[in-house]
Structure formats: C-alpha cells, structure tokens
Amino acid sequence: MNTMNPGNNQLDARNLKTLEDQLAYEALMNKKCSQYAEYCTDANLKQVCQQGAATHKTNFTALKNYLDSHN
C-alpha cells in the first residue's frame, strides 16, 4: 500500500499521526532527561542524562524538519 500519492508531497493521516506521536515522545524524553540531569549529583550520570536530552532534542528537530517539508 502506497502511503503517499505519487507526485504529492503530503503525508496520509496514519503517517501524520505516527509522526505527531513520535514528536511528542521525543519532546517528553528531552524534558525528562534534562530534569534528571538537574537532579544528578554524580558527574558521569549527569553527563549521560545531558547526552540523552541532546539526542532526543536532535531527534525532535529532525522529525519536525521532515514533517515541515511535507506540509
């Protein structure tokens, strides 16, 4: 089943919903990792949490850019 119309840059409703859900997940994980980093007193654990937050922010940005390119 083709989820995109040939020659059309629009996403179908199912794929759009999946992307929106994933955007929400990445935003939440970024927020949680950032919050956990604030709570950490161990420098190594704090760094792991900060790296996780950065990864989720990067994922969010990439998904958002992809979604914006299909509007």
Side-chain angles (χ1 to χ4, degrees):
M1 178 174 158
N2 188 1
T3 57
M4 292 180 63
N5 296 332
N8 187 347
N9 214 20
Q10 296 295 314
L11 296 169
D12 68 13
R14 186 184 66 196
N15 286 335
L16 183 59
K17 175 68 172 133
T18 300
L19 284 171
E20 289 172 344
D21 289 347
Q22 192 63 35
L23 276 170
Y25 168 78
E26 294 295 345
L28 178 62
M29 291 307 298
N30 172 264
K31 184 176 179 178
K32 284 184 174 187
C33 288
S34 294
Q35 188 69 48
Y36 295 153
E38 289 181 28
Y39 295 151
C40 291
T41 56
D42 179 87
N44 290 330
L45 188 53
K46 184 180 200 80
Q47 182 180 13
V48 168
C49 292
Q50 289 170 334
Q51 288 172 340
T55 297
H56 289 292
K57 182 175 183 177
T58 299
N59 293 346
F60 178 90
T61 301
L63 285 169
K64 179 78 168 93
N65 289 340
Y66 178 80
L67 187 60
D68 289 346
S69 74
H70 285 79
N71 285 335

